[in-house]
Amino acid sequence: MAKKVHAAPGRPGHATAKTGRRARAIVAASTVAVALIAATGTAIGAVGQGGAAGSGAPKRIGAAPHVPAGATMTGATASGTKLHLSVNLAPRDPQSLADFVTAVSTPGNAQYHHYLAKGQFASVFGPTRATIAGVSRALKAAGLSPGKVSPDGLSIPVTATAAQASHAFGTGFRNVRLKDGTTDYLNTSAPSLPANVASSVTGIVGLSSVNTVSGHHSAVRRASRHSSATASVSGRSSRTVTAHTYTPALCADFTGSGLTDGTDYYSPGKLAGAYGMSSSATAGAGQTVAVFELENVDAGSIAAYQSCVGTSTSVSNVYVDTTAGAGAPATDGSVGVESALDIEDLIGLVPGAAIIDYQGPDAASATDQNVLDVYQRMVTDDQAQVISTSWGECEAVESSATANAENTVFAEAAAQGQSVVAASGDDGSSDCYRATGSTAKAVDDPASQPYVTGVGGTTMTTSGSTTTQTTWGNANGGTGGGVSSRWAPVVYQGGVATTSKRAVPDVSALADPADGYPIYFQDDSQSATPVPGLVGGTSGAAPTWAAAIVQANAGTACQANGQVGFLNNALYKAARSSYPTNFWDVTSGDNSVYATGYTAAAGYDEVTGLGSPKEAGLTTALCAAKGTAATGASTFHPLSSPKRLLDTRNGTGWGLSSIPTKKPLVAGGTAPVKIEGAGGIPSSGVTAVVLNLTVTGTTGAGSLIAWADGTAKPSTSNLNWTGASQTIAASATVKVAGDGVVDLYTSSTTHLIADVQGYYTSDTTGSKYTALAPARLLDTRSKVGISTTSKISNAVISLKVRGHGGVPTGATSVVLNLTATQTVGGGYLEAYPEGATRPTASNVNWSATGTTIPNLVVVPIGSDGNVSIYVHGTSHVIADVSGYFSASGSAFDTVTPLRLLDTRQTTALGAGKTLAVQISGRDTIPSTGVKAVVLTVTVTGTTGSGYLSAWADGGSRPTASNLNWAQGKTIANQVIVPVGSDGKVDFYASSTTHVIADVAGYIG
């Protein structure tokens, strides 16, 4: 089936045939009359996981495809039309797969660079045999003939007629005429399967033939000073390229063309020099890079380029859903240009590497299923450490079934240590323009995929020893970039791309055809042999970045520490740690090709991403040593004054190393916070950190989760808020990973502040903890610890600590639960050692009159035995002591955060009732010897004002409280509570509420 070429209106310099569509005839596979396939069929034969066919109700999977803009329905699809489908299965535990990718990509994690071996994915993360068998049986029960499951277990192939697919999946089919006259077919509703197998299926690819995948390269211009961008040579000639010894320069076809290297084009040597890459005949030795192609490649053109450069790079072919020689020949000056650019760019930059060309059917006739098959083969073969693709399609046009299936395949690649780079497109911010005519902002797939590195494009010029780089963007094309409409914010972009969803591109490289890439290609109208030409587009930028990764993998650091693997985690870490050393920032230009797009600026932007590589520095960052996380029993080191590590309001710790941002953390976004080496904290050996976390300028109700970077995000919370315009704080003890970073996630958009109060190290140089029965040291409402019952306004309270509430004279720091209550207006509390300078970091914050809010603080004790509490604003203040640090006592051990209690799953804690919760023996907490536990306790669904007290089971309920609330509020607070001899703690609530308790560590 052929497809019609989509024209590129208004783009005289853009390749026309590269869109890869010619007229598609919808042909019946039998001689029966064309009949409308109604959308009333239902999938039959429900089956359980590994069970027999049954009678479960059908469930829709995904959504029906959108009818492209400008298209019209033209009637029935022939019932005998043959469909090549794949039923794509979810990994057995998608979150575990995502967590594994994070772990193998994070220095200091025990799994860092311990990638899956070839063929291991199916047994570790693929769907279970029972799941595969269950889905296969359901397909057979529906009248289909499923084929053999893919090697990774992720897809089951099915060949069926439209009538069979309609009956099996409960969907109709209609023909659709696109705006360019192409006729395709698509399903009229989301497919369905029995409910008890549908949950195992991410989508069914191939139900629609609407496909706009294209290569991202410009039209070729001849390598001649006097030729225009589209000029051709009259008459045919024959020519021979004489082979010569490798140099990073080119042969006379280019050097004698009258064009200037570094102005009109970039030779491999000049390009490598601009990006700090190596230029040698052995660059990339021992590495393999794979290229994705949907067209034939002319072997003669590759040979001519190798002769011109003086290389003998190994180039082999793997054919997927096609055979050698099938499809349009690469002889018309259009077909084969994309392949030539991809392969020849790699030959020039990494001649020592081996290149595998994975070729699918021609883009003119390729379906989404063919595209997926090629990617899946590249990954399951697992022959290449780096995969480069310069083909893509508008994200909004691609079906969710295809996108989801690709996402799993690319996650598989990351788990295996394969780096995947993709061109971001050549249509500026309007990636759907050539497919639908829309000038709306859109991005390209697969560049927008979370496990893919999207590569944008630049314009570059060298004059003498000075090379400048700007955004590639003009009326003829420009770098693709923007914000995904599909993928949520990704952890690695936190604080760098502060967008509501995944931002594209990640990086960039040379793409402008006016100073682009020299290639050889075949055009029979010009010559019987390959001719030299110049071409651009992000199709050149993607293999350039692939070459940069190949060179890094081949270097001594990666050879010692493991190949780069999934690139994005390491890229953004490198940008945060030393941006100017690792990246060439592109700060001018825009990608407003068809409509107003995005503008380049200092730091990350949706035009050129982080910028271009500075290979030497970047290799050091990408090939970082494995490192180890500090573990074991730990001692505490208080800071004399809290240090602010993060403040999104003014850019403290937020953004790139040299270019801060002042944007809030977006809903669903993650803020990585550097702990080790920051704020006076040692650069290694830290096991946990005590943070005071504050949200301010909230935009709605939300929650915050803190955890060790590079580990699974827990299903716990550290801070909760109930509405907009709130300022609220909570203390959190957070485990620190081997890379010295903790992550902070918020469910709604807010500004975020993190102040460090102290840290734990895996040695005996710090202090140890002693738990006390909670005691009230201060209550301004009733003259406890103070001689007044008046509210405190903008004044300092001197609180006696040593010798009170069980705190001995040898205590160095005290743990207090501070509560502000009966507040007037907004304000905050600050606790610090008496005699020290008042810090700029707060401990308790409120933003409205009548607030009651607590927070746990760890405060060094002044030389006079006192601590100072500064009240900004007006409030009553309560301080309850729960323990202290000194030279004697017990050490602290971290655990992976875990929810130990959630009464929402059972029954609320009633007013005046006590609930005992088992601590010892839970999670990794020992069954004996636990003296205290560190918890985040949250009350929610409160039915009236009240308070909560926590204490050791078997002891007397204290008069001190840990949480205080007003009706309808959700409040969280950290508590360090003694554990009873039976391993339990008790919770008492004065009014009915739900209680949640999450553990962070224990004292023992």
Side-chain angles (χ1 to χ4, degrees):
M1 300 181 188
K3 290 184 180 178
K4 182 178 178 182
V5 174
H6 282 306
R11 293 285 298 280
H14 202 80
T16 54
K18 81 183 186 70
T19 55
R21 294 185 57 87
R22 298 184 178 88
R24 178 192 288 275
I26 308 303
V27 181
S30 67
T31 58
V32 298
V34 173
L36 176 64
I37 300 174
T40 57
T42 58
I44 62 173
V47 66
Q49 292 278 342
S55 57
K59 179 182 178 181
R60 298 287 175 186
I61 302 168
H66 296 291
V67 177
T72 57
M73 292 291 193
T74 59
T77 299
S79 61
T81 300
K82 185 168 288 189
L83 312 181
H84 297 281
L85 313 173
S86 68
V87 178
N88 297 287
L89 308 180
R92 67 185 65 182
D93 187 342
Q95 188 58 56
S96 290
L97 173 57
D99 294 341
F100 179 79
V101 172
T102 299
V104 297
S105 306
T106 303
N109 192 293
Q111 293 177 298
Y112 178 60
H113 284 180
H114 289 286
Y115 303 117
L116 294 181
K118 179 180 178 179
Q120 193 179 2
F121 182 89
S123 62
V124 178
F125 293 113
T128 64
R129 291 181 180 180
T131 297
I132 296 169
V135 174
S136 294
R137 279 192 289 271
L139 295 173
K140 290 177 181 178
L144 301 176
S145 299
K148 182 180 179 181
V149 70
S150 60
D152 54 11
L154 293 177
S155 62
I156 300 173
V158 175
T159 299
T161 65
Q164 291 171 325
S166 176
H167 173 71
F169 300 125
T171 180
F173 290 89
R174 300 277 293 185
N175 289 349
V176 58
R177 186 181 300 279
L178 304 182
K179 66 173 186 174
D180 64 354
T182 300
T183 299
D184 283 334
Y185 61 83
L186 50 76
N187 50 307
T188 56
S189 61
S192 64
L193 281 173
N196 48 358
V197 297
S199 60
S200 300
V201 177
T202 63
I204 300 171
V205 175
L207 295 173
S208 168
S209 64
V210 177
N211 173 39
T212 58
V213 65
S214 63
H216 298 310
H217 69 85
S218 69
V220 186
R221 60 189 175 103
R222 287 296 302 275
S224 169
R225 169 63 67 186
H226 304 293
S227 65
S228 68
T230 57
S232 62
V233 176
S234 59
R236 298 179 78 249
S237 60
S238 182
R239 57 204 317 283
T240 301
V241 181
T242 303
H244 68 282
T245 303
Y246 172 84
T247 69
L250 295 171
C251 59
D253 281 344
F254 295 96
T255 60
S257 65
L259 301 176
T260 303
D261 188 4
T263 300
D264 301 303
Y265 67 88
Y266 273 80
S267 67
K270 186 72 75 171
L271 185 62
Y275 293 141
M277 298 166 65
S278 171
S279 293
S280 78
T282 59
Q287 301 298 304
T288 300
V289 57
V291 293
F292 172 100
E293 305 296 351
L294 295 176
E295 64 179 7
N296 278 305
V297 61
D298 179 53
S301 297
I302 303 302
Y305 185 85
Q306 297 232 55
S307 294
C308 180
V309 183
T311 57
S312 55
T313 303
S314 170
V315 181
S316 59
N317 300 86
V318 174
Y319 300 97
V320 183
D321 297 346
T322 188
T323 58
T331 58
D332 66 354
S334 176
V335 175
V337 169
E338 179 63 72
S339 301
L341 171 57
D342 294 342
I343 294 170
E344 293 171 16
D345 183 23
L346 287 165
I347 289 171
L349 293 173
V350 284
I355 300 171
I356 305 176
D357 174 11
Y358 281 82
Q359 181 182 325
D362 284 357
S365 57
T367 65
D368 281 354
Q369 184 58 56
N370 297 136
V371 171
L372 182 62
D373 286 347
V374 179
Y375 284 128
Q376 194 163 17
R377 179 68 180 276
M378 298 172 87
V379 173
T380 57
D381 277 1
D382 198 11
Q383 295 295 312
Q385 296 83 32
V386 181
I387 294 172
S388 178
T389 176
S390 297
W391 300 76
E393 66 179 320
C394 164
E395 186 184 70
V397 171
E398 184 185 42
S399 73
S400 61
T402 302
N404 291 337
E406 284 182 354
N407 180 248
T408 306
V409 169
F410 294 136
E412 179 184 357
Q416 295 176 166
Q418 294 176 290
S419 307
V420 183
V421 298
S424 68
D426 296 355
D427 296 307
S429 62
S430 306
D431 195 72
C432 293
Y433 180 74
R434 284 183 294 126
T436 68
S438 171
T439 60
K441 288 183 170 64
V443 296
D444 202 70
D445 177 277
S448 66
Q449 286 275 348
Y451 293 110
V452 172
T453 301
V455 185
T458 67
T459 295
M460 191 157 61
T461 303
T462 299
S463 177
S465 60
T466 302
T467 300
T468 58
Q469 201 170 203
T470 59
T471 298
W472 172 47
N474 53 53
N476 293 326
T479 177
V483 180
S484 171
S485 61
R486 174 173 282 129
W487 303 111
V490 284
V491 172
Y492 51 78
Q493 288 187 323
V496 177
T498 52
T499 51
S500 59
K501 292 193 175 181
R502 158 93 160 108
V504 183
D506 298 295
V507 291
S508 56
L510 175 66
D512 192 340
D515 46 46
Y517 295 83
I519 66 167
Y520 281 88
F521 67 106
Q522 182 62 50
D523 186 347
D524 282 354
S525 68
Q526 298 186 24
S527 173
T529 55
V531 294
L534 304 174
V535 66
T538 54
S539 285
T544 295
W545 262 94
I549 304 165
V550 168
Q551 288 202 11
N553 281 339
T556 55
C558 271
Q559 289 296 300
N561 299 321
Q563 67 200 47
V564 172
F566 176 46
L567 187 60
N568 292 356
N569 277 353
L571 280 176
Y572 286 89
K573 285 180 185 293
R576 290 188 192 93
S577 63
S578 186
Y579 185 57
T581 301
N582 300 322
F583 295 92
W584 182 348
D585 190 12
V586 181
T587 59
S588 63
D590 59 61
N591 64 351
S592 304
V593 178
Y594 300 114
T596 301
Y598 298 89
T599 301
Y604 180 89
D605 51 65
E606 293 85 7
V607 182
T608 58
L610 294 169
S612 299
K614 290 184 178 179
E615 184 76 7
L618 195 57
T619 295
T620 300
L622 297 182
C623 304
K626 297 178 181 180
T628 55
T631 58
S634 305
T635 57
F636 183 68
H637 305 260
L639 297 184
S640 59
S641 179
K643 299 294 191 300
R644 184 146 293 175
L645 301 184
L646 173 71
D647 189 340
T648 62
R649 300 171 303 175
N650 58 24
T652 299
W654 191 230
L656 302 176
S657 61
S658 57
I659 305 170
T661 180
K662 298 180 182 179
K663 295 181 180 179
L665 180 59
V666 298
T670 301
V673 181
K674 181 69 172 174
I675 300 298
E676 289 186 330
I681 300 171
S683 58
S684 63
V686 177
T687 59
V689 64
V690 180
L691 296 173
N692 193 67
L693 302 173
T694 305
V695 293
T696 187
T698 59
T699 58
S703 61
L704 180 149
I705 304 172
W707 76 101
D709 183 58
T711 64
K713 183 178 73 174
S715 299
T716 56
S717 64
N718 300 89
L719 179 60
N720 296 267
W721 56 98
T722 56
S725 302
Q726 292 186 357
T727 298
I728 188 169
S731 177
T733 300
V734 189
K735 188 175 183 178
V736 176
D739 64 351
V741 175
V742 301
D743 291 335
L744 306 177
Y745 163 93
T746 56
S747 62
S748 64
T749 299
T750 182
H751 277 295
L752 181 58
I753 303 166
D755 299 317
V756 61
Q757 297 178 349
Y759 58 91
Y760 291 91
T761 60
S762 56
D763 56 32
T764 59
T765 60
S767 53
K768 298 179 180 181
Y769 184 74
T770 300
L772 296 172
R776 182 147 293 174
L777 301 185
L778 173 70
D779 189 341
T780 60
R781 300 170 302 176
S782 54
K783 288 188 179 182
V784 174
I786 197 169
S787 60
T788 180
T789 57
S790 300
K791 295 179 181 179
I792 308 301
S793 296
N794 301 312
V796 176
I797 300 171
S798 176
L799 179 64
K800 297 182 182 300
V801 173
R802 289 193 183 122
H804 296 266
V807 180
T809 57
T812 55
S813 298
V814 65
V815 178
L816 298 174
N817 191 64
L818 290 182
T819 302
T821 188
Q822 299 178 29
T823 61
V824 177
Y828 57 84
L829 304 180
E830 293 176 340
Y832 54 99
E834 188 155 293
T837 301
R838 181 161 61 88
T840 56
S842 58
N843 301 102
V844 180
N845 299 78
W846 63 91
S847 53
T849 297
T851 299
T852 296
I853 189 163
N855 195 15
L856 190 79
V857 299
V858 182
V859 193
I861 302 171
S863 59
D864 60 357
N866 297 352
V867 299
S868 295
I869 302 171
Y870 172 72
V871 183
H872 178 82
T874 300
S875 177
H876 275 301
V877 182
I878 305 167
D880 299 321
V881 63
S882 59
Y884 62 90
F885 288 94
S886 66
S888 59
S890 300
F892 170 76
D893 283 86
T894 62
V895 300
T896 299
L898 178 71
R899 183 147 289 173
L900 299 182
L901 171 69
D902 189 344
T903 64
R904 295 173 301 177
Q905 309 302 317
T906 53
T907 304
L909 181 57
K913 300 296 184 180
T914 299
L915 176 64
V917 178
Q918 184 68 41
I919 300 296
S920 297
R922 302 281 299 277
D923 195 12
T924 56
I925 303 172
S927 57
T928 60
V930 177
K931 297 180 179 179
V933 64
V934 181
L935 301 171
T936 293
V937 179
T938 305
V939 293
T940 188
T942 53
T943 58
S945 297
Y947 65 88
L948 179 144
S949 297
W951 70 98
D953 187 55
S956 299
R957 177 164 61 90
T959 57
S961 62
N962 298 97
L963 282 88
N964 300 77
W965 61 88
Q967 182 177 352
K969 295 296 185 180
T970 296
I971 298 291
N973 193 23
Q974 183 171 222
V975 302
I976 306 178
V977 57
V979 175
S981 59
D982 59 356
K984 297 179 181 180
V985 299
D986 291 344
F987 295 119
Y988 167 87
S990 65
S991 66
T992 300
T993 182
H994 280 296
V995 181
I996 302 165
D998 301 322
V999 63
Y1002 64 92
I1003 308 292

